[in-house]
Short mmCIF file of all heavy atoms in Angstrom, two decimals:
data_model
loop_
_atom_site.label_atom_id
_atom_site.label_comp_id
_atom_site.label_asym_id
_atom_site.label_seq_id
_atom_site.Cartn_x
_atom_site.Cartn_y
_atom_site.Cartn_z
N MET W 72 -63.91 -11.78 26.17
CA MET W 72 -63.96 -13.06 25.44
C MET W 72 -62.58 -13.55 25.23
O MET W 72 -61.69 -12.83 24.77
CB MET W 72 -64.68 -12.79 24.14
CG MET W 72 -65.02 -14.03 23.40
SD MET W 72 -65.97 -13.67 21.95
CE MET W 72 -65.02 -14.37 20.60
N ILE W 73 -62.46 -14.83 25.40
CA ILE W 73 -61.17 -15.54 25.25
C ILE W 73 -61.27 -16.34 23.92
O ILE W 73 -62.16 -17.17 23.82
CB ILE W 73 -60.78 -16.37 26.38
CG1 ILE W 73 -60.64 -15.44 27.66
CG2 ILE W 73 -59.53 -17.19 26.14
CD1 ILE W 73 -60.48 -16.20 28.82
N ASP W 74 -60.29 -16.20 22.93
CA ASP W 74 -60.29 -16.87 21.79
C ASP W 74 -59.38 -18.08 22.08
O ASP W 74 -58.39 -18.01 22.74
CB ASP W 74 -59.83 -16.04 20.63
CG ASP W 74 -60.70 -15.07 20.24
OD1 ASP W 74 -61.89 -15.25 20.37
OD2 ASP W 74 -60.19 -13.99 19.60
N SER W 75 -59.74 -19.24 21.53
CA SER W 75 -58.89 -20.40 21.67
C SER W 75 -58.66 -20.98 20.30
O SER W 75 -59.48 -20.95 19.38
CB SER W 75 -59.57 -21.43 22.55
OG SER W 75 -60.70 -21.93 21.92
N ILE W 76 -57.35 -21.48 20.06
CA ILE W 76 -57.01 -22.16 18.94
C ILE W 76 -56.27 -23.41 19.31
O ILE W 76 -55.66 -23.55 20.31
CB ILE W 76 -56.11 -21.19 17.99
CG1 ILE W 76 -54.81 -20.91 18.70
CG2 ILE W 76 -56.86 -20.04 17.54
CD1 ILE W 76 -53.77 -20.18 17.89
N ASN W 77 -56.35 -24.39 18.41
CA ASN W 77 -55.64 -25.64 18.65
C ASN W 77 -54.44 -25.66 17.74
O ASN W 77 -54.56 -25.56 16.46
CB ASN W 77 -56.48 -26.83 18.35
CG ASN W 77 -57.64 -27.02 19.25
OD1 ASN W 77 -57.54 -26.66 20.42
ND2 ASN W 77 -58.80 -27.30 18.68
N LEU W 78 -53.28 -25.67 18.37
CA LEU W 78 -51.98 -25.75 17.51
C LEU W 78 -51.59 -27.31 17.38
O LEU W 78 -51.63 -28.01 18.41
CB LEU W 78 -50.93 -24.95 18.30
CG LEU W 78 -51.18 -23.55 18.44
CD1 LEU W 78 -50.00 -22.81 19.21
CD2 LEU W 78 -51.29 -22.75 17.14
N SER W 79 -51.18 -27.59 16.20
CA SER W 79 -50.74 -29.03 16.05
C SER W 79 -49.49 -28.94 15.24
O SER W 79 -49.32 -28.12 14.34
CB SER W 79 -51.87 -29.82 15.45
OG SER W 79 -52.14 -29.32 14.10
N ILE W 80 -48.59 -29.93 15.41
CA ILE W 80 -47.38 -30.08 14.67
C ILE W 80 -47.66 -30.31 13.28
O ILE W 80 -48.56 -31.19 12.90
CB ILE W 80 -46.44 -31.12 15.33
CG1 ILE W 80 -46.03 -30.78 16.60
CG2 ILE W 80 -45.30 -31.43 14.41
CD1 ILE W 80 -45.21 -31.66 17.46
N GLY W 81 -47.09 -29.68 12.36
CA GLY W 81 -47.27 -29.88 10.84
C GLY W 81 -48.33 -28.98 10.26
O GLY W 81 -48.44 -28.96 9.08
N SER W 82 -49.14 -28.16 11.16
CA SER W 82 -50.06 -27.27 10.67
C SER W 82 -49.38 -25.87 10.25
O SER W 82 -48.41 -25.53 10.76
CB SER W 82 -51.07 -27.07 11.56
OG SER W 82 -51.79 -28.32 11.77
N THR W 83 -50.12 -25.19 9.34
CA THR W 83 -49.62 -23.84 8.91
C THR W 83 -50.31 -22.78 9.61
O THR W 83 -51.58 -22.75 9.74
CB THR W 83 -49.78 -23.80 7.36
OG1 THR W 83 -48.92 -24.78 6.69
CG2 THR W 83 -49.22 -22.50 6.94
N TYR W 84 -49.60 -21.73 10.05
CA TYR W 84 -50.20 -20.66 10.73
C TYR W 84 -49.42 -19.38 10.24
O TYR W 84 -48.48 -19.44 9.45
CB TYR W 84 -49.87 -20.70 12.09
CG TYR W 84 -50.64 -21.85 12.86
CD1 TYR W 84 -50.04 -23.10 12.90
CD2 TYR W 84 -51.89 -21.79 13.19
CE1 TYR W 84 -50.70 -24.17 13.47
CE2 TYR W 84 -52.54 -22.87 13.80
CZ TYR W 84 -51.99 -24.08 13.94
OH TYR W 84 -52.61 -25.20 14.44
N ILE W 85 -50.03 -18.20 10.48
CA ILE W 85 -49.42 -16.94 10.16
C ILE W 85 -48.97 -16.30 11.40
O ILE W 85 -49.67 -16.31 12.49
CB ILE W 85 -50.46 -16.05 9.36
CG1 ILE W 85 -49.82 -14.92 8.64
CG2 ILE W 85 -51.62 -15.58 10.24
CD1 ILE W 85 -50.46 -14.13 7.46
N VAL W 86 -47.83 -15.45 11.38
CA VAL W 86 -47.39 -14.85 12.51
C VAL W 86 -48.15 -13.40 12.60
O VAL W 86 -48.07 -12.58 11.66
CB VAL W 86 -45.81 -14.52 12.46
CG1 VAL W 86 -45.33 -13.73 13.52
CG2 VAL W 86 -45.05 -15.87 12.27
N ALA W 87 -48.92 -13.28 13.65
CA ALA W 87 -49.65 -11.98 13.83
C ALA W 87 -49.72 -11.69 15.33
O ALA W 87 -50.72 -12.00 15.93
CB ALA W 87 -51.03 -12.15 13.29
N PRO W 88 -48.60 -11.23 15.93
CA PRO W 88 -48.52 -10.80 17.35
C PRO W 88 -49.72 -9.84 17.64
O PRO W 88 -50.01 -8.89 16.92
CB PRO W 88 -47.24 -10.26 17.49
CG PRO W 88 -46.46 -10.64 16.37
CD PRO W 88 -47.30 -10.79 15.24
N ASP W 89 -50.21 -9.93 18.85
CA ASP W 89 -51.15 -8.94 19.43
C ASP W 89 -50.42 -7.56 19.61
O ASP W 89 -51.09 -6.50 19.51
CB ASP W 89 -51.79 -9.50 20.69
CG ASP W 89 -52.65 -10.72 20.46
OD1 ASP W 89 -53.24 -10.79 19.29
OD2 ASP W 89 -52.78 -11.53 21.40
N ASN W 90 -49.29 -7.49 20.01
CA ASN W 90 -48.51 -6.41 20.33
C ASN W 90 -48.18 -5.65 18.88
O ASN W 90 -47.44 -6.18 18.15
CB ASN W 90 -47.28 -6.71 21.17
CG ASN W 90 -46.49 -5.42 21.48
OD1 ASN W 90 -46.75 -4.34 21.12
ND2 ASN W 90 -45.39 -5.73 22.26
N PRO W 91 -48.68 -4.30 18.72
CA PRO W 91 -48.43 -3.71 17.54
C PRO W 91 -46.86 -3.40 17.24
O PRO W 91 -46.52 -3.20 16.23
CB PRO W 91 -49.31 -2.53 17.58
CG PRO W 91 -49.61 -2.38 19.08
CD PRO W 91 -49.56 -3.63 19.71
N ARG W 92 -46.14 -3.36 18.33
CA ARG W 92 -44.72 -3.01 18.17
C ARG W 92 -43.92 -4.23 17.85
O ARG W 92 -42.72 -4.06 17.50
CB ARG W 92 -44.24 -2.44 19.58
CG ARG W 92 -44.85 -1.19 19.88
CD ARG W 92 -44.29 -0.58 21.14
NE ARG W 92 -44.97 0.70 21.47
CZ ARG W 92 -44.73 1.32 22.64
NH1 ARG W 92 -43.88 0.77 23.50
NH2 ARG W 92 -45.36 2.29 22.89
N LYS W 93 -44.60 -5.39 17.92
CA LYS W 93 -43.77 -6.64 17.54
C LYS W 93 -44.01 -6.87 15.93
O LYS W 93 -44.91 -7.44 15.58
CB LYS W 93 -44.35 -7.92 18.25
CG LYS W 93 -43.47 -8.38 19.30
CD LYS W 93 -44.12 -9.53 19.91
CE LYS W 93 -43.13 -10.63 20.37
NZ LYS W 93 -43.71 -11.75 21.01
N THR W 94 -42.97 -6.24 15.17
CA THR W 94 -43.12 -6.29 13.75
C THR W 94 -42.17 -7.28 13.00
O THR W 94 -42.18 -7.32 11.82
CB THR W 94 -43.04 -4.82 13.15
OG1 THR W 94 -41.66 -4.43 13.47
CG2 THR W 94 -44.11 -3.97 13.73
N LYS W 95 -41.21 -7.96 13.76
CA LYS W 95 -40.09 -8.63 13.17
C LYS W 95 -40.62 -9.64 12.10
O LYS W 95 -40.10 -9.69 10.95
CB LYS W 95 -39.30 -9.30 14.18
CG LYS W 95 -38.00 -9.89 13.54
CD LYS W 95 -37.06 -10.43 14.62
CE LYS W 95 -35.84 -11.02 14.02
NZ LYS W 95 -34.89 -11.43 14.93
N ASN W 96 -41.48 -10.48 12.38
CA ASN W 96 -41.99 -11.71 11.56
C ASN W 96 -43.42 -11.50 11.23
O ASN W 96 -43.95 -12.48 10.60
CB ASN W 96 -41.65 -12.94 12.17
CG ASN W 96 -40.15 -13.18 12.28
OD1 ASN W 96 -39.40 -13.08 11.35
ND2 ASN W 96 -39.67 -13.77 13.45
N ARG W 97 -43.98 -10.43 11.33
CA ARG W 97 -45.43 -10.26 11.12
C ARG W 97 -45.76 -10.48 9.73
O ARG W 97 -45.09 -10.07 8.80
CB ARG W 97 -45.84 -8.88 11.53
CG ARG W 97 -47.29 -8.64 11.37
CD ARG W 97 -47.70 -7.16 11.76
NE ARG W 97 -47.32 -6.88 13.10
CZ ARG W 97 -48.19 -7.08 14.22
NH1 ARG W 97 -49.36 -7.66 14.02
NH2 ARG W 97 -47.81 -6.78 15.39
N GLY W 98 -46.78 -11.20 9.46
CA GLY W 98 -47.42 -11.59 8.18
C GLY W 98 -46.66 -12.76 7.52
O GLY W 98 -47.18 -13.23 6.39
N ARG W 99 -45.69 -13.47 8.10
CA ARG W 99 -45.06 -14.58 7.50
C ARG W 99 -45.80 -15.89 7.81
O ARG W 99 -46.35 -16.12 8.97
CB ARG W 99 -43.52 -14.68 7.93
CG ARG W 99 -42.80 -13.57 7.53
CD ARG W 99 -41.43 -13.52 8.09
NE ARG W 99 -40.59 -14.47 7.36
CZ ARG W 99 -39.35 -14.91 7.68
NH1 ARG W 99 -38.71 -14.21 8.79
NH2 ARG W 99 -38.74 -15.77 7.07
N LYS W 100 -45.86 -16.72 6.84
CA LYS W 100 -46.39 -18.03 7.06
C LYS W 100 -45.36 -19.09 7.56
O LYS W 100 -44.23 -18.95 7.08
CB LYS W 100 -47.08 -18.60 5.68
CG LYS W 100 -48.24 -17.81 5.28
CD LYS W 100 -48.81 -18.43 3.93
CE LYS W 100 -49.98 -17.51 3.47
NZ LYS W 100 -50.54 -18.06 2.21
N CYS W 101 -45.75 -19.85 8.47
CA CYS W 101 -44.87 -20.85 9.04
C CYS W 101 -45.62 -22.13 9.37
O CYS W 101 -46.82 -22.15 9.49
CB CYS W 101 -44.21 -20.31 10.31
SG CYS W 101 -45.40 -19.93 11.66
N THR W 102 -44.85 -23.24 9.45
CA THR W 102 -45.38 -24.64 9.87
C THR W 102 -44.61 -24.88 11.27
O THR W 102 -43.49 -24.78 11.43
CB THR W 102 -45.02 -25.54 8.85
OG1 THR W 102 -45.45 -25.19 7.60
CG2 THR W 102 -45.40 -26.99 9.27
N ILE W 103 -45.41 -25.43 12.09
CA ILE W 103 -44.97 -25.82 13.49
C ILE W 103 -44.11 -27.11 13.38
O ILE W 103 -44.60 -28.10 12.77
CB ILE W 103 -46.11 -25.93 14.44
CG1 ILE W 103 -46.82 -24.70 14.61
CG2 ILE W 103 -45.58 -26.65 15.79
CD1 ILE W 103 -47.91 -24.76 15.59
N LEU W 104 -42.97 -27.00 13.94
CA LEU W 104 -42.11 -28.39 14.02
C LEU W 104 -42.18 -29.02 15.32
O LEU W 104 -42.28 -30.24 15.40
CB LEU W 104 -40.60 -27.93 13.68
CG LEU W 104 -40.31 -27.34 12.32
CD1 LEU W 104 -38.88 -26.95 12.30
CD2 LEU W 104 -40.67 -28.33 11.33
N SER W 105 -42.12 -28.26 16.38
CA SER W 105 -42.20 -28.79 17.83
C SER W 105 -42.54 -27.76 18.85
O SER W 105 -42.55 -26.56 18.61
CB SER W 105 -40.82 -29.35 18.13
OG SER W 105 -39.87 -28.46 18.27
N PHE W 106 -42.88 -28.28 20.02
CA PHE W 106 -43.13 -27.45 21.21
C PHE W 106 -42.17 -27.63 22.30
O PHE W 106 -41.58 -28.79 22.43
CB PHE W 106 -44.53 -27.77 21.81
CG PHE W 106 -45.77 -27.62 20.87
CD1 PHE W 106 -46.21 -28.74 20.32
CD2 PHE W 106 -46.25 -26.47 20.59
CE1 PHE W 106 -47.27 -28.62 19.35
CE2 PHE W 106 -47.30 -26.20 19.65
CZ PHE W 106 -47.85 -27.42 19.07
N ASP W 107 -41.83 -26.67 22.98
CA ASP W 107 -40.69 -26.62 24.04
C ASP W 107 -41.06 -25.83 25.19
O ASP W 107 -41.70 -24.77 25.06
CB ASP W 107 -39.40 -26.28 23.47
CG ASP W 107 -38.26 -26.59 24.33
OD1 ASP W 107 -38.43 -27.56 25.13
OD2 ASP W 107 -37.22 -26.11 24.31
N VAL W 108 -40.99 -26.33 26.37
CA VAL W 108 -41.19 -25.69 27.55
C VAL W 108 -39.77 -25.35 28.27
O VAL W 108 -39.15 -26.35 28.66
CB VAL W 108 -42.18 -26.41 28.62
CG1 VAL W 108 -42.36 -25.57 29.79
CG2 VAL W 108 -43.41 -26.64 27.80
N LYS W 109 -39.49 -23.95 28.38
CA LYS W 109 -38.34 -23.79 29.22
C LYS W 109 -38.71 -22.62 30.25
O LYS W 109 -39.32 -21.64 29.84
CB LYS W 109 -37.26 -23.12 28.12
CG LYS W 109 -36.64 -24.16 27.24
CD LYS W 109 -35.64 -23.53 26.36
CE LYS W 109 -35.06 -24.50 25.57
NZ LYS W 109 -34.17 -23.85 24.45
N ASP W 110 -38.24 -22.73 31.33
CA ASP W 110 -38.56 -21.84 32.44
C ASP W 110 -40.09 -21.47 32.49
O ASP W 110 -40.38 -20.23 32.68
CB ASP W 110 -37.78 -20.57 32.25
CG ASP W 110 -36.20 -20.85 32.27
OD1 ASP W 110 -35.88 -21.76 33.05
OD2 ASP W 110 -35.51 -20.11 31.59
N ASP W 111 -40.90 -22.47 32.49
CA ASP W 111 -42.39 -22.24 32.49
C ASP W 111 -42.90 -21.40 31.37
O ASP W 111 -43.98 -20.78 31.48
CB ASP W 111 -42.77 -21.72 33.81
CG ASP W 111 -42.50 -22.69 34.96
OD1 ASP W 111 -42.48 -23.86 34.70
OD2 ASP W 111 -42.21 -22.19 36.16
N GLN W 112 -42.21 -21.32 30.19
CA GLN W 112 -42.67 -20.63 29.14
C GLN W 112 -42.72 -21.47 27.91
O GLN W 112 -41.89 -22.32 27.66
CB GLN W 112 -41.63 -19.43 28.68
CG GLN W 112 -41.56 -18.35 29.68
CD GLN W 112 -42.69 -17.49 29.64
OE1 GLN W 112 -43.48 -17.37 28.55
NE2 GLN W 112 -42.98 -16.66 30.70
N LEU W 113 -43.85 -21.44 27.26
CA LEU W 113 -44.06 -22.44 26.13
C LEU W 113 -43.47 -21.67 24.89
O LEU W 113 -43.86 -20.52 24.49
CB LEU W 113 -45.54 -22.66 25.83
CG LEU W 113 -46.00 -23.45 24.52
CD1 LEU W 113 -45.32 -24.87 24.62
CD2 LEU W 113 -47.39 -23.38 24.36
N THR W 114 -42.57 -22.29 24.17
CA THR W 114 -42.11 -21.82 22.90
C THR W 114 -42.40 -22.77 21.75
O THR W 114 -42.39 -23.93 21.99
CB THR W 114 -40.55 -21.52 22.92
OG1 THR W 114 -39.84 -22.80 23.35
CG2 THR W 114 -40.20 -20.40 24.03
N ILE W 115 -42.55 -22.27 20.56
CA ILE W 115 -42.90 -23.01 19.46
C ILE W 115 -41.86 -22.96 18.45
O ILE W 115 -41.57 -21.87 17.95
CB ILE W 115 -44.33 -22.66 19.07
CG1 ILE W 115 -45.31 -22.76 20.08
CG2 ILE W 115 -44.65 -23.43 17.79
CD1 ILE W 115 -46.67 -22.15 19.73
N MET W 116 -41.26 -24.03 18.03
CA MET W 116 -40.26 -24.10 16.96
C MET W 116 -41.11 -24.25 15.61
O MET W 116 -41.88 -25.13 15.50
CB MET W 116 -39.33 -25.23 17.14
CG MET W 116 -38.51 -25.30 18.25
SD MET W 116 -37.28 -23.91 18.24
CE MET W 116 -36.41 -24.46 16.81
N VAL W 117 -40.65 -23.19 14.69
CA VAL W 117 -41.43 -23.22 13.44
C VAL W 117 -40.28 -23.09 12.40
O VAL W 117 -39.18 -22.62 12.62
CB VAL W 117 -42.42 -21.95 13.27
CG1 VAL W 117 -43.53 -22.11 14.34
CG2 VAL W 117 -41.67 -20.74 13.52
N VAL W 118 -40.85 -23.20 11.14
CA VAL W 118 -40.05 -23.03 9.92
C VAL W 118 -40.86 -22.24 8.98
O VAL W 118 -42.05 -22.45 8.81
CB VAL W 118 -39.61 -24.44 9.34
CG1 VAL W 118 -40.84 -25.18 8.68
CG2 VAL W 118 -38.67 -24.06 7.97
N PHE W 119 -40.30 -21.09 8.50
CA PHE W 119 -40.89 -20.21 7.65
C PHE W 119 -40.96 -20.58 6.13
O PHE W 119 -39.99 -21.24 5.73
CB PHE W 119 -40.32 -18.84 7.71
CG PHE W 119 -40.29 -18.15 9.10
CD1 PHE W 119 -39.19 -18.02 9.87
CD2 PHE W 119 -41.54 -17.68 9.49
CE1 PHE W 119 -39.34 -17.36 11.13
CE2 PHE W 119 -41.71 -17.02 10.78
CZ PHE W 119 -40.46 -16.94 11.60
N HIS W 120 -42.09 -20.38 5.59
CA HIS W 120 -42.23 -20.93 4.20
C HIS W 120 -41.36 -20.13 3.18
O HIS W 120 -41.01 -20.78 2.14
CB HIS W 120 -43.67 -20.78 3.74
CG HIS W 120 -44.62 -21.74 4.49
ND1 HIS W 120 -45.92 -22.16 4.03
CD2 HIS W 120 -44.44 -22.45 5.69
CE1 HIS W 120 -46.43 -22.94 4.93
NE2 HIS W 120 -45.64 -23.27 5.91
N ASP W 121 -41.12 -18.84 3.36
CA ASP W 121 -40.50 -18.19 2.39
C ASP W 121 -38.90 -18.33 2.43
O ASP W 121 -38.34 -18.09 1.32
CB ASP W 121 -40.79 -16.69 2.54
CG ASP W 121 -40.49 -16.14 3.87
OD1 ASP W 121 -40.19 -16.92 4.86
OD2 ASP W 121 -40.55 -14.85 4.09
N THR W 122 -38.31 -18.78 3.51
CA THR W 122 -36.83 -18.92 3.53
C THR W 122 -36.44 -20.36 4.04
O THR W 122 -35.19 -20.59 3.97
CB THR W 122 -36.25 -17.80 4.55
OG1 THR W 122 -36.79 -18.21 5.85
CG2 THR W 122 -36.50 -16.49 4.02
N ASN W 123 -37.43 -21.15 4.51
CA ASN W 123 -37.04 -22.45 5.13
C ASN W 123 -36.05 -22.33 6.30
O ASN W 123 -35.46 -23.27 6.56
CB ASN W 123 -36.46 -23.38 3.98
CG ASN W 123 -37.51 -23.97 3.10
OD1 ASN W 123 -38.72 -24.00 3.52
ND2 ASN W 123 -37.10 -24.41 1.92
N ARG W 124 -36.17 -21.13 6.96
CA ARG W 124 -35.33 -21.16 8.14
C ARG W 124 -36.28 -21.26 9.35
O ARG W 124 -37.45 -20.94 9.42
CB ARG W 124 -34.68 -19.78 8.25
CG ARG W 124 -33.63 -19.51 7.25
CD ARG W 124 -32.90 -18.34 7.40
NE ARG W 124 -31.79 -18.34 6.45
CZ ARG W 124 -30.74 -17.60 6.59
NH1 ARG W 124 -30.52 -16.84 7.61
NH2 ARG W 124 -29.80 -17.70 5.66
N GLY W 125 -35.69 -21.75 10.54
CA GLY W 125 -36.37 -21.98 11.67
C GLY W 125 -36.25 -20.90 12.74
O GLY W 125 -35.40 -20.09 12.62
N ALA W 126 -37.18 -20.84 13.58
CA ALA W 126 -37.24 -19.83 14.68
C ALA W 126 -38.16 -20.25 15.79
O ALA W 126 -38.83 -21.18 15.61
CB ALA W 126 -37.93 -18.49 14.06
N CYS W 127 -37.90 -19.75 16.89
CA CYS W 127 -38.74 -19.85 18.03
C CYS W 127 -39.77 -18.71 18.19
O CYS W 127 -39.35 -17.57 18.24
CB CYS W 127 -37.84 -20.10 19.33
SG CYS W 127 -36.79 -21.45 19.40
N LEU W 128 -40.96 -19.01 18.45
CA LEU W 128 -41.97 -18.01 18.57
C LEU W 128 -42.84 -18.30 19.85
O LEU W 128 -42.95 -19.51 20.37
CB LEU W 128 -42.97 -17.99 17.42
CG LEU W 128 -42.34 -17.79 16.09
CD1 LEU W 128 -43.42 -17.85 14.97
CD2 LEU W 128 -41.84 -16.25 16.01
N ALA W 129 -43.48 -17.26 20.23
CA ALA W 129 -44.36 -17.45 21.43
C ALA W 129 -45.67 -17.84 21.09
O ALA W 129 -46.18 -17.74 19.87
CB ALA W 129 -44.56 -16.08 22.23
N PHE W 130 -46.40 -18.49 21.83
CA PHE W 130 -47.78 -19.00 21.63
C PHE W 130 -48.64 -17.93 21.00
O PHE W 130 -49.42 -18.20 20.12
CB PHE W 130 -48.28 -19.67 22.94
CG PHE W 130 -49.82 -20.03 22.84
CD1 PHE W 130 -50.11 -21.17 22.13
CD2 PHE W 130 -50.74 -19.40 23.49
CE1 PHE W 130 -51.44 -21.57 22.06
CE2 PHE W 130 -52.02 -19.78 23.45
CZ PHE W 130 -52.43 -20.79 22.65
N SER W 131 -48.67 -16.78 21.64
CA SER W 131 -49.57 -15.70 21.36
C SER W 131 -49.32 -15.02 20.00
O SER W 131 -50.11 -14.19 19.52
CB SER W 131 -49.52 -14.67 22.43
OG SER W 131 -48.24 -14.01 22.54
N ASP W 132 -48.16 -15.40 19.43
CA ASP W 132 -47.72 -14.78 18.16
C ASP W 132 -48.49 -15.45 16.92
O ASP W 132 -48.43 -14.91 15.95
CB ASP W 132 -46.36 -14.83 17.99
CG ASP W 132 -45.51 -13.84 18.91
OD1 ASP W 132 -46.33 -13.02 19.53
OD2 ASP W 132 -44.33 -13.93 19.10
N LEU W 133 -48.96 -16.69 16.97
CA LEU W 133 -49.53 -17.41 15.92
C LEU W 133 -51.02 -17.31 15.88
O LEU W 133 -51.70 -17.44 16.94
CB LEU W 133 -49.04 -18.80 16.10
CG LEU W 133 -47.49 -19.12 15.97
CD1 LEU W 133 -47.38 -20.66 16.17
CD2 LEU W 133 -46.95 -18.72 14.68
N LYS W 134 -51.53 -17.20 14.64
CA LYS W 134 -52.95 -17.11 14.32
C LYS W 134 -53.16 -18.08 13.24
O LYS W 134 -52.36 -18.22 12.43
CB LYS W 134 -53.40 -15.82 13.96
CG LYS W 134 -53.06 -14.66 14.94
CD LYS W 134 -53.80 -14.77 16.31
CE LYS W 134 -53.63 -13.70 17.17
NZ LYS W 134 -52.63 -13.74 18.16
N PRO W 135 -54.36 -18.75 13.15
CA PRO W 135 -54.77 -19.62 12.12
C PRO W 135 -54.89 -18.89 10.87
O PRO W 135 -55.31 -17.70 10.87
CB PRO W 135 -55.97 -20.36 12.63
CG PRO W 135 -56.53 -19.45 13.63
CD PRO W 135 -55.42 -18.68 14.25
N ILE W 136 -54.73 -19.48 9.76
CA ILE W 136 -54.82 -18.81 8.48
C ILE W 136 -56.30 -18.95 8.13
O ILE W 136 -56.94 -20.05 8.05
CB ILE W 136 -54.01 -19.38 7.40
CG1 ILE W 136 -52.51 -19.32 7.72
CG2 ILE W 136 -54.33 -18.85 6.04
CD1 ILE W 136 -51.67 -19.85 6.82
N THR W 137 -56.94 -17.84 7.81
CA THR W 137 -58.40 -17.79 7.42
C THR W 137 -58.40 -17.44 5.96
O THR W 137 -57.75 -16.56 5.45
CB THR W 137 -59.12 -16.86 8.27
OG1 THR W 137 -58.53 -15.48 8.11
CG2 THR W 137 -59.27 -17.18 9.70
N LYS W 138 -59.33 -18.15 5.23
CA LYS W 138 -59.34 -17.78 3.81
C LYS W 138 -60.46 -17.00 3.44
O LYS W 138 -61.50 -16.82 4.15
CB LYS W 138 -59.42 -19.25 3.04
CG LYS W 138 -58.13 -19.87 3.20
CD LYS W 138 -58.14 -21.19 2.38
CE LYS W 138 -56.86 -21.83 2.43
NZ LYS W 138 -56.75 -23.00 1.60
#
């Protein structure tokens, strides 16, 4: 089964990579600023809520926040 999510600029997501070894930003809330395509790779520019710092993340690292 393939899950699909719609990412939009200005929306809030949580960093939850599928790879269990990717722990750097896991659990942090962020807002999408922009999308960028470099070398056929989609990167997403985000700003973290806790520090107001920006970062580039992969598409698969973001999950919608469920309440």
Side-chain angles (χ1 to χ4, degrees):
M72 184 173 124
I73 298 174
D74 292 332
S75 66
I76 60 171
N77 294 324
L78 299 177
S79 60
I80 294 174
S82 296
T83 301
Y84 297 90
I85 193 161
V86 180
D89 294 331
N90 184 350
R92 293 182 183 171
K93 252 181 145 175
T94 60
K95 185 171 183 178
N96 293 313
R97 184 179 297 275
R99 295 177 75 184
K100 291 182 183 177
C101 61
T102 300
I103 295 178
L104 297 177
S105 65
F106 300 102
D107 193 19
V108 178
K109 290 183 182 176
D110 300 325
D111 296 330
Q112 294 284 342
L113 175 66
T114 56
I115 301 169
M116 295 293 297
V117 300
V118 63
F119 293 109
H120 292 198
D121 56 352
T122 60
N123 281 341
R124 291 191 176 201
C127 293
L128 298 175
F130 170 76
S131 61
D132 292 346
L133 296 177
K134 304 292 186 265
I136 296 177
T137 57
K138 294 184 180 187

